[in-house]
Amino acid sequence: MHDDSEVAVLRLGHRPGRDERMTTHVGLTARALGADRVLLPDNAGQSKETVADITDRFGGPFGVELTDSPQGIIRNWEGRVVHLTMYGERVQDVEDEIRAAHGDEGQPLLVVVGAEKVPFDVYEEADWNVGVTNQPHSEVAGLAVFLDRLFEGRELERDWEDADRRVLPMETGKRVESTDEE
Ligand SMILES: C[S@@+](CC[C@H](N)C(=O)[O-])C[C@H]1O[C@@H](n2cnc3c(N)ncnc32)[C@H](O)[C@@H]1O
């Protein structure tokens, strides 16, 4: 989140058509909840465009990239790898250790989420396989809870740079203002 070492999110797998919204939402959630960038499979170009467009309008910094070798990213990652999976260790049991590696030791963190079945190699290559509950749900939900635990809520207070527009929080109604008004 720019006050610590890097946090990148890697989306493993993307079924064109079927996963379009989910892959986009992995990117948008990574951005909104404090990751520095998201890496998407190279067949997810439309999701990349949408995330880049939101970043242009609502601010950053946030990076979105395509990769033709998601598993290569994991193998070559210079830092620690967290794989989110319902089969993993309980997030509440390992979050301190992960936070210490990232925050105190300054290790860049790669957070991996799947789509369909995740190859077993990923379970072996990850430093932590982490379950946000051990119940089946979604990569977007798992990612959101994990990032909020990692940052201990600080991501909710962040400022956005180079935004064209900003939402004014309201009890009722919707108000979006142009940042040119300042
Ligand atoms: C539809 S699930 C696929 C589940 C599949 N059985 C597997 O783990 O290989 C898609 C992704 O959501 C995430 N996910 C689902 N449930 C989760 C949980 N309880 N904790 C953490 N991540 C979860 C994982 O990243 C998973 O790869």
Side-chain angles (χ1 to χ4, degrees):
M1 210 175 33
H2 322 296
D3 54 349
D4 293 315
S5 49
E6 182 186 36
V7 176
V9 172
L10 174 67
R11 165 64 153 172
L12 268 189
H14 173 79
R15 294 160 290 187
R18 179 171 173 172
D19 285 335
E20 225 62 64
R21 267 170 61 82
M22 207 54 133
T23 298
T24 301
H25 287 189
V26 165
L28 295 180
T29 300
R31 170 185 171 276
L33 294 181
D36 297 286
R37 63 185 168 120
V38 68
L39 299 138
L40 305 176
D42 61 2
N43 61 349
Q46 186 54 54
S47 295
K48 177 189 176 211
E49 293 307 313
T50 303
V51 174
D53 180 55
I54 293 288
T55 303
D56 282 348
R57 290 191 282 150
F58 287 91
F62 185 73
V64 51
E65 297 158 38
L66 299 179
T67 172
D68 61 5
S69 177
Q71 284 193 245
I73 299 282
I74 297 174
R75 278 193 297 276
N76 297 321
W77 184 254
E78 294 183 2
R80 300 294 179 86
V81 176
V82 175
H83 168 222
L84 297 182
T85 165
M86 62 183 278
Y87 305 108
E89 295 181 275
R90 304 184 327 155
V91 66
Q92 60 269 46
D93 294 339
V94 293
E95 65 179 298
D96 287 348
E97 202 183 315
I98 297 171
R99 213 181 290 113
H102 175 247
D104 304 344
E105 295 170 25
Q107 296 274 350
L109 215 59
L110 182 67
V111 184
V112 180
V113 296
E116 45 196 335
K117 193 169 166 43
V118 173
F120 196 68
D121 291 359
V122 174
Y123 290 79
E124 293 185 322
E125 285 159 2
D127 294 288
W128 295 276
N129 291 291
V130 177
V132 176
T133 77
N134 294 106
Q135 303 298 316
H137 50 80
S138 108
E139 47 274 47
V140 173
L143 180 62
V145 171
F146 177 76
L147 290 174
D148 187 61
R149 291 268 174 154
L150 177 70
F151 296 128
E152 299 179 291
R154 292 192 313 284
E155 81 285 0
L156 302 179
E157 304 292 344
R158 75 168 281 187
D159 293 322
W160 296 95
E161 296 170 21
D162 300 322
D164 291 345
R165 62 194 74 183
R166 178 172 52 223
V167 173
L168 294 181
M170 307 188 82
E171 191 177 338
T172 311
K174 302 196 279 189
R175 180 145 179 224
V176 182
E177 69 176 13
S178 164
T179 51
D180 296 341
E181 286 170 15
E182 286 173 350

